[in-house]
Amino acid sequence: SPAVIALTLIGKPDCHLCEVASDVVDAVVAELPDALAEDMEITELSILDDPALYEKYWEKIPVLLIDGEVHGHWRISPDRLREALAARADAR
């Protein structure tokens, strides 16, 4: 079976842009074909729970990683995310 595509959203509680980014990720994944959506694993992390994440990303949250690589931060574009996930899917 195809490998999981890991989406990691790094933010913190009570962060409006983080909530917006989370909604964008959920909406984009919800539009994907079922076979692809099933391969998405979405994890949300808080910089408040992890000093290393805080140190690295506190100025940039929300930060979205795809398979551990930074895809974008602050404002996540649905179109750009769609393209990135389609490219990931095609590469498998």
Side-chain angles (χ1 to χ4, degrees):
S1 67
V4 163
I5 296 174
L7 301 177
T8 308
L9 189 62
I10 299 166
K12 68 177 182 181
D14 302 318
C15 157
H16 175 67
L17 277 183
C18 301
E19 289 164 20
V20 172
S22 180
D23 289 345
V24 167
V25 171
D26 288 345
V28 169
V29 169
E31 292 167 0
L32 295 172
D34 285 348
L36 188 51
E38 285 166 12
D39 293 333
M40 299 287 156
E41 187 175 88
I42 303 172
T43 305
E44 296 200 11
L45 301 177
S46 169
I47 60 168
L48 302 186
D49 296 335
D50 185 330
L53 283 182
Y54 184 93
E55 188 66 28
K56 194 167 180 184
Y57 294 124
W58 69 275
E59 288 182 297
K60 294 184 174 164
I61 60 166
V63 177
L64 180 62
L65 310 181
I66 302 178
D67 290 334
E69 294 172 19
V70 175
H71 166 76
H73 58 91
W74 293 324
R75 298 187 185 279
I76 305 301
S77 152
D79 291 338
R80 197 167 155 263
L81 179 56
R82 235 174 253 123
E83 286 166 16
L85 294 181
R88 272 279 188 305
D90 290 345
R92 298 190 301 171

